[in-house]
Amino acid sequence: MLNEQLLERLVTDLKPVRRRTWRRDALVFALLCVIELALFAGLGSARPDICAAMALPSFWWKLGSLGAIAVVGAAVAIVSLDPVESPRRGLHWLVGIVAICLAIGWLIDASGGGLQGLVARVDWPDGLECVGSMVLLSVPPVVGLGLLMRRGAPTDSGGTALAVGIAAAAWGAFVFVFACPYDDPLYVAVWYAVGCGLVTGFARLVLPWLTRW
Amino acid sequence: MAGSDWGALMVAAQAGNGRVYHRLLTEVGDWLRRYYTRRLPPAMVADAVQDTLLAVHEKRHTYDPSRPFEPWLAAIARYKWIDRLRAMKSTPTEALTEDIAVTDHGDAVASAWSLERLLRELKPAQSDVIRLVKLQGLSIEEAAARTGQSISLVKVNIHRGLGRLASMVQRQPDAE
C-alpha cells in the first residue's frame, strides 16, 4: 500500500512549475560566460601584446581548442540534465576533441624548432601561477553549471559532473588565454592540462555529492 | 506500462492541478511497487517507492510533454534503484528472527529471481556473502564462519560486490 500521508503532503498546495528546457539552461550558462569574459576584459586583465599574439598560430590553437572543449562539454552536461539522457557518448566525443587539440599543438610545436630546453620551456613558477588563475576563472562556470545540475535531474551524476568539470575548466582556461603571455605549445599543454585536470577532478568528486537527488 | 495517459496527467500536475496529480502519483506508485518488487529485497520496496515518488515530485519540472512520460519515469526509477544498491553497502543488516511475518511470498520469489540473475555476474566470493548478509540477514561473523572468509574479507567483498552490482545496472539497459 502507498503511504497516503505522503501523497497528501505532495499534492497539498501544489504549485505550478516552470518546465526545464535545455535552451534556457544553455542561455543561462552562455550569459554567465559572457559576463565573466566582459568583466575579465573590463578589468584590464588582457595581455598587453595581444595584437602581436593574435598573429601566432599557437594563440588561435589555444583559443580554438579551449572554446571547442568548453562548448561541447557544456552541451554534454546540459543535455544530460534530462533524466532520460546519458552523458557517456558526449564524453567520448570530448576525449576525442582533447586528443585532436593536443595533436595539433604537437604539430605546431614540432614545426617550431625541436625539443631543446624542455625543462626551461615548461617554466614551472609561472606555470603554477597560470594554474591558479585558470582555477579561479573556472569558479563561476562550475557554480553556474552546478546549480543547473542541481535543478535538473541527471541520472548519471558521475558522467554529468565530469562534463561540467571539463566545460568549466575549458571555459576558465579560454578566458585566461587573453591574459596568458605564453604561446609555447609545450607550456600550454602542460600547465593548461594541470589546471583543467584540477577543476575537472574537483567537479567529478564534489558535484555528485552536492547535487544528489 | 501506463493505465492512462500519464503524460497528460503530468502536464496538468505541472500546471498545479492537485486532484489530477494525486491520481497520477497513485498510479505511478502502483507501477513503482511492481518495478522494485522485481529488483529489490521485499523489505526495501516500500522505502524505494516513497523515495522515487519524492524524486518524481521534486523533478517534475524536468518532464518534457513533447516526449513520452514512461521513459522519463523509468529513468528516475532506475536511478533510485542504483541508489538503493549503493546504499546497501552502508546500511547495517539486522539478523532475521524466526517469527518474522511473511505477507507476500510471490514478491519475495520475484525479487530473489531478479537479484539472483544479477548476483550470478559477480565473483562467487562476493555473491555468496551478499546473499548471506544482505538477503538472508546473517551477521558478518556468521557469514564469515559459513564461507570460510575472514570478517574483514566479508566486509570488503560485500562493499566491492554491491559497488560492482550498481555499476553493472548503470551500464546495462533496463528491460522494463
Side-chain angles (χ1 to χ4, degrees), chain A residues 45-135:
Chain A
S45 309
R47 58 194 282 188
D49 64 337
I50 194 155
C51 292
M54 286 168 86
L56 299 171
S58 57
F59 177 86
W60 294 107
W61 165 66
K62 276 194 288 184
L63 208 63
S65 301
L66 293 166
I69 295 167
V71 168
V72 176
V76 171
I78 288 170
V79 166
S80 73
L81 300 183
D82 183 333
V84 182
E85 302 293 342
S86 166
R88 294 287 152 180
R89 186 185 292 181
L91 286 171
H92 291 154
W93 276 99
L94 271 175
V95 170
I97 290 172
V98 171
I100 290 168
C101 292
L102 289 174
I104 293 170
W106 176 78
L107 278 175
I108 293 171
D109 190 55
S111 63
L115 298 169
Q116 288 178 345
L118 283 184
V119 178
R121 285 170 61 195
V122 169
D123 193 0
W124 69 268
D126 276 6
L128 290 179
E129 209 174 301
C130 287
V131 167
S133 302
M134 271 184 277
V135 169

Side-chain angles (χ1 to χ4, degrees), chain B residues 16-52:
Chain B
N17 188 329
R19 195 176 49 80
V20 169
Y21 192 41
H22 189 282
R23 183 181 149 202
L24 174 69
L25 289 183
T26 305
E27 292 184 16
V28 163
D30 290 340
W31 181 83
L32 287 172
R33 196 177 57 77
R34 290 195 298 276
Y35 180 92
Y36 287 122
T37 293
R38 287 193 286 274
R39 290 165 175 79
L40 289 169
M44 296 175 77
V45 171
D47 282 351
V49 171
Q50 291 203 359
D51 200 17
T52 311

Side-chain angles (χ1 to χ4, degrees), chain A:
Chain A
M1 276 300 287
L2 282 174
N3 188 337
E4 205 40 54
Q5 269 185 327
L6 173 71
L7 287 192
E8 285 305 323
R9 186 161 70 80
L10 297 182
V11 167
T12 307
D13 298 328
L14 183 70
K15 300 272 188 303
V17 288
R18 192 166 68 167
R19 280 185 206 116
R20 175 200 169 266
T21 65
W22 68 265
R23 284 183 193 83
R24 192 184 301 123
D25 283 359
L27 198 67
V28 167
F29 182 64
L31 201 64
L32 177 77
C33 290
V34 168
I35 290 169
E36 186 187 18
L37 191 57
L39 280 175
F40 188 76
L43 290 170
S45 309
R47 58 194 282 188
D49 64 337
I50 194 155
C51 292
M54 286 168 86
L56 299 171
S58 57
F59 177 86
W60 294 107
W61 165 66
K62 276 194 288 184
L63 208 63
S65 301
L66 293 166
I69 295 167
V71 168
V72 176
V76 171
I78 288 170
V79 166
S80 73
L81 300 183
D82 183 333
V84 182
E85 302 293 342
S86 166
R88 294 287 152 180
R89 186 185 292 181
L91 286 171
H92 291 154
W93 276 99
L94 271 175
V95 170
I97 290 172
V98 171
I100 290 168
C101 292
L102 289 174
I104 293 170
W106 176 78
L107 278 175
I108 293 171
D109 190 55
S111 63
L115 298 169
Q116 288 178 345
L118 283 184
V119 178
R121 285 170 61 195
V122 169
D123 193 0
W124 69 268
D126 276 6
L128 290 179
E129 209 174 301
C130 287
V131 167
S133 302
M134 271 184 277
V135 169
L136 206 63
L137 288 165
S138 299
V139 172
V142 164
V143 172
L145 280 173
L147 288 173
L148 290 175
M149 188 174 166
R150 193 168 167 75
R151 179 171 153 75
T155 46
D156 183 351
S157 311
T160 300
L162 204 56
V164 165
I166 292 170
W171 179 256
F174 178 91
V175 175
F176 183 64
V177 166
F178 294 100
C180 178
Y182 289 90
D183 298 305
D184 184 343
L186 181 73
Y187 179 93
V188 172
V190 171
W191 293 114
Y192 280 50
V194 170
C196 290
L198 282 175
V199 175
T200 303
F202 172 81
R204 173 63 185 83
L205 285 176
V206 173
L207 284 182
W209 180 68
L210 286 178
T211 60
R212 198 160 174 267
W213 54 282

Side-chain angles (χ1 to χ4, degrees), chain B residues 81-176:
Chain B
W81 176 33
I82 294 166
D83 217 25
R84 285 276 148 189
L85 288 175
R86 290 211 173 105
M88 281 169 82
K89 286 195 281 191
S90 53
T91 311
T93 310
E94 289 176 21
L96 298 178
T97 54
E98 292 298 326
D99 57 345
I100 193 165
V102 179
T103 53
D104 187 348
H105 208 67
D107 283 357
V109 170
S111 169
W113 176 80
S114 185
L115 278 173
E116 189 56 44
R117 205 160 41 94
L118 284 169
L119 286 170
R120 275 204 294 267
E121 304 286 325
L122 300 180
K123 290 176 185 167
Q126 292 172 345
S127 57
D128 286 350
V129 289
I130 290 172
R131 268 190 209 99
L132 292 172
V133 177
K134 294 294 175 183
L135 300 182
Q136 294 175 22
L138 266 63
S139 67
I140 299 280
E141 292 76 13
E142 286 169 328
R146 199 176 284 194
T147 58
Q149 299 178 26
S150 67
I151 288 175
S152 55
L153 189 59
V154 169
K155 288 178 184 170
V156 167
N157 275 331
I158 289 174
H159 185 81
R160 287 187 182 161
L162 288 172
R164 193 155 166 247
L165 218 56
S167 303
M168 273 161 40
V169 171
Q170 195 158 34
R171 276 197 300 272
Q172 289 168 4
D174 201 355
E176 188 70 27

